[in-house]
Amino acid sequence: MKTKIRELRKANKLSQEELARAVGTTRQTITSIEIGKYIASLPLAYKISHYFGLTIEEVFDFSESEE
Amino acid sequence: MLNFREKLKKRRWLIRISCVIVLLVIINHYFGNFLSFPTPKEPHISDFQMGLLMGIELCLIFLSFKYRKAINDENELQDFYNSEHDERKNLIRQKAGYPVIWAASIVILIAAIIAGYYNVTVFYSLAAVAVIQIFFAAFLKFVYSKKY
């Protein structure tokens, strides 16, 4: 699944470690979500989106998984 | 987070108690068997048991220091909490069968130690099964951590 986490992080000048700590997860999980290896659960997706002040659909691209 | 700190404190007490018990058994073995424990017929089985206990002791000491660091430092505690409740890590552990395999391996190792007092072949078989299980679980964890 594609996400905009990396772009949002760069725009907010945040490291993976800082984002991970803010949303209650680990740096490795953020890395895996960013490169599309791991699909975040709904609560984690909500926390990440909420942190950036966006909706889940604005951060996560569901178009591939719908096909 | 306060509850988690209390949970860690309780776990640290359990670790400390286990540490003292294991140390007592090791001291007893090397300094005259003052607790009058039975000893296996084969000396190398006794050596294996002591090696295993020393390994467990080192792990317990390491864990105790790790917990102390987390209890005293707020950032460490947060990282420890995040790591323990991380959904990806938990998924990998579950997929690799970590909780079940570790519990089974510990039971098998205890059975191997008891069997060591009676039969060498049974001891080797059980010890080999436990070690292979642990390596297999570690291999699966590695594979799934690459996948996710």
Side-chain angles (χ1 to χ4, degrees), chain B:
Chain B
M1 200 54 69
L2 206 67
N3 286 345
F4 187 64
R5 178 176 274 131
E6 288 305 312
K7 200 172 159 185
L8 286 191
K9 279 182 183 172
K10 278 181 194 166
R11 277 194 215 166
R12 195 163 173 241
W13 267 109
L14 278 176
I15 288 170
R16 280 175 175 173
I17 292 165
S18 312
C19 221
V20 170
I21 293 169
V22 172
L23 194 65
L24 202 65
V25 175
I26 293 170
I27 290 170
N28 174 66
H29 179 78
Y30 289 108
F31 297 97
N33 197 11
F34 52 86
L35 294 173
S36 306
F37 280 167
T39 46
K41 289 169 194 168
E42 298 284 333
H44 55 270
I45 291 178
S46 162
D47 293 340
F48 175 86
Q49 289 173 351
M50 284 307 117
L52 186 70
L53 287 175
M54 283 178 194
I56 290 169
E57 182 75 8
L58 286 176
C59 290
L60 289 172
I61 291 168
F62 172 75
L63 269 181
S64 180
F65 276 111
K66 197 176 162 188
Y67 277 40
R68 192 180 75 171
K69 207 176 166 190
I71 289 165
N72 295 332
D73 186 338
E74 202 60 42
N75 286 336
E76 284 285 336
L77 184 71
Q78 182 69 51
D79 288 345
F80 202 85
Y81 181 86
N82 290 348
S83 174
E84 199 157 286
H85 293 87
D86 182 43
E87 57 179 49
R88 179 179 153 271
K89 271 192 176 179
N90 286 335
L91 176 76
I92 291 167
R93 279 193 208 119
Q94 279 174 11
K95 286 254 184 191
Y98 241 52
V100 176
I101 289 180
W102 270 98
S105 299
I106 289 166
V107 170
I108 290 170
L109 274 176
I110 292 167
I113 288 170
I114 295 166
Y117 290 100
Y118 307 102
N119 193 316
V120 182
T121 315
V122 175
F123 166 79
Y124 279 126
S125 308
L126 289 174
V129 167
V131 169
I132 289 167
Q133 268 196 162
I134 291 168
F135 274 112
F136 188 62
F139 172 72
L140 281 180
K141 195 180 171 191
F142 174 75
V143 168
Y144 282 116
S145 63
K146 289 283 164 204
K147 189 180 173 188
Y148 294 109

Side-chain angles (χ1 to χ4, degrees), chain A residues 31-43:
Chain A
T31 309
S32 285
I33 295 169
E34 278 186 4
I35 59 176
K37 269 166 78 177
Y38 177 70
I39 300 170
S41 69
L42 189 58

Side-chain angles (χ1 to χ4, degrees), chain A residues 12-31:
Chain A
N12 287 281
K13 290 178 182 168
L14 268 177
S15 68
Q16 288 181 331
E17 189 79 51
E18 286 165 334
L19 177 62
R21 194 170 278 179
V23 298
T25 189
T26 58
R27 186 190 55 76
Q28 291 91 335
T29 301
I30 296 293
T31 309

